[in-house]
């Protein structure tokens, strides 16, 4: 006769791995390409990354400095926004255009207008909206 053994059912504690400097640099390079597709000015791109425009231009030219925790979080959210748009729109150009289109969910402002509020939470708001629209998981 077999004896039943208890199976642990408590979820394992979640501990996210930090974004490495190499990963952050790769995300920055990807963001530069994305900013081009979104047709952003250097001022707008710098605002999204919370960088002085001079610093953004120096990094854009290849002299990338240290990306701090906030910068990594901003890049992660920008990549998440891009990923969600690629899932929602089969045509990438429609996703790129969506960023600047008025949206009722944002009181007829565009997602870009929301993100240009300059706070990390502004990027997170757009990402959460898109994740909800695409079904998150």
């Amino acid at each position: 006769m077999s004896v039943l053994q208890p199976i642990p059912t408590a979820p394992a504690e979640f501990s996210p791995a930090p974004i490495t400097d190499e990963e952050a640099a790769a995300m920055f390079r990807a963001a530069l390409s994305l900013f081009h597709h979104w047709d952003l000015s250097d001022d707008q791109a710098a605002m999204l990354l919370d960088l002085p425009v001079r610093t953004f231009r120096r990094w854009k030219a290849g002299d990338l400095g240290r990306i701090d925790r906030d910068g990594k979080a901003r890049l992660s959210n920008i990549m998440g926004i891009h990923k969600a748009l690629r899932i929602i729109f089969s045509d990438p150009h429609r996703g790129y255009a969506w960023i600047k289109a008025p949206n009722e969910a944002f009181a007829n402002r565009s997602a870009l207008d929301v993100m240009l509020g300059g706070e990390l939470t502004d990027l997170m708001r757009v990402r959460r909206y898109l994740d909800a629209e695409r079904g998150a998981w």
Side-chain angles (χ1 to χ4, degrees):
M1 183 162 157
S2 299
V3 176
L4 295 176
Q5 297 294 319
I7 298 173
T9 57
E13 188 172 322
F14 177 72
S15 177
I19 296 171
T20 67
D21 291 340
E22 293 79 18
E23 291 167 332
M27 285 193 296
F28 180 80
R29 291 188 302 273
L32 288 178
S33 175
L34 186 58
F35 295 161
H36 172 75
H37 288 295
W38 287 353
D39 193 30
L40 300 188
S41 68
D42 285 356
D43 288 332
Q44 291 172 318
M47 176 67 77
L48 294 183
L49 297 175
D50 194 30
L51 292 172
V53 176
R54 285 184 60 183
T55 301
F56 173 75
R57 288 182 177 146
R58 190 177 72 245
W59 288 16
K60 181 179 168 183
D63 186 15
L64 186 62
R66 183 181 173 279
I67 302 174
D68 64 14
R69 185 175 179 172
D70 180 77
K72 290 175 180 179
R74 287 171 178 276
L75 287 166
S76 177
N77 276 280
I78 290 166
M79 292 299 106
I81 289 165
H82 175 60
K83 176 184 175 183
L85 288 170
R86 291 302 302 265
I87 291 169
I88 293 168
F89 296 105
S90 58
D91 175 10
H93 298 288
R94 288 188 61 206
Y96 300 145
W98 180 89
I99 287 295
K100 292 186 173 181
N103 189 316
E104 287 182 18
F106 304 131
N108 286 322
R109 295 183 312 150
S110 70
L112 180 60
D113 291 335
V114 172
M115 293 188 294
L116 288 175
E119 300 295 328
L120 173 58
T121 54
D122 297 324
L123 296 171
M124 293 168 67
R125 178 178 176 202
V126 172
R127 183 177 183 180
R128 280 192 311 267
Y129 170 78
L130 288 168
D131 284 346
E133 283 296 307
R134 72 176 179 88
W137 298 97

